Amino acid sequence: MNSHDNCIFCKIVAGQIPSRKVYEDDDMMAFHDIHPKAPVHFLLIPKSHVDSLAECGPAEGEVLARMMLKVPELARAAGCGNGFRTVINTGPDGGQEVYHLHVHVLGGPRNQWKVSLP
């Protein structure tokens, strides 16, 4: 059994767990966070399992670049024309809870966020 066999995000990619999809192509998928911290809060993940940003190497470079270039497009489409925040939690001390690389994209009026901003 591979470590990704029990990965909730791999199961979402496989269609075994429902999600509120924002975007999907051959390499990545975006869906709404089930515990949103802002009026707009979705996750963007690579479809191929990689535990965290710390585990990425040259093989993940192209999909990482495509993901980062997709974020502004998806954020604008979600109504974040006045800005957005991206967060990648990495490892236990970085607050990572699901060990499948994912980018949080948060936006909307700052006074409606459930997290404090510096």
Side-chain angles (χ1 to χ4, degrees):
M1 178 185 274
N2 295 326
S3 65
H4 64 272
D5 288 342
N6 288 320
C7 173
I8 190 169
F9 290 169
C10 287
K11 289 179 179 182
I12 288 172
V13 168
Q16 298 169 350
I17 295 175
S19 67
R20 290 179 39 228
K21 198 179 304 180
V22 172
Y23 175 81
E24 182 175 15
D25 67 21
D26 291 342
D27 300 316
M28 68 185 96
M29 183 175 182
F31 50 90
H32 291 276
D33 194 296
I34 61 169
H35 300 293
K37 304 293 187 218
V40 173
H41 186 177
F42 62 87
L43 307 177
L44 181 61
I45 67 169
K47 285 186 170 181
S48 295
H49 183 89
V50 60
D51 282 350
S52 73
L53 188 59
E55 303 299 318
C56 289
E60 290 78 31
E62 186 176 331
V63 73
L64 286 173
R66 289 189 62 241
M67 287 172 63
M68 291 300 101
L69 293 171
K70 184 58 70 175
V71 166
E73 176 187 328
L74 297 177
R76 280 190 300 272
C80 300
N82 201 33
F84 57 90
R85 185 178 202 189
T86 54
V87 178
I88 301 174
N89 298 322
T90 305
D93 287 342
Q96 187 173 3
E97 295 178 5
V98 176
Y99 281 83
H100 182 125
L101 174 66
H102 56 286
V103 180
H104 291 264
V105 180
L106 301 102
R110 285 180 67 164
N111 64 349
Q112 296 177 22
W113 289 36
K114 298 174 186 169
V115 294
S116 60
L117 297 175

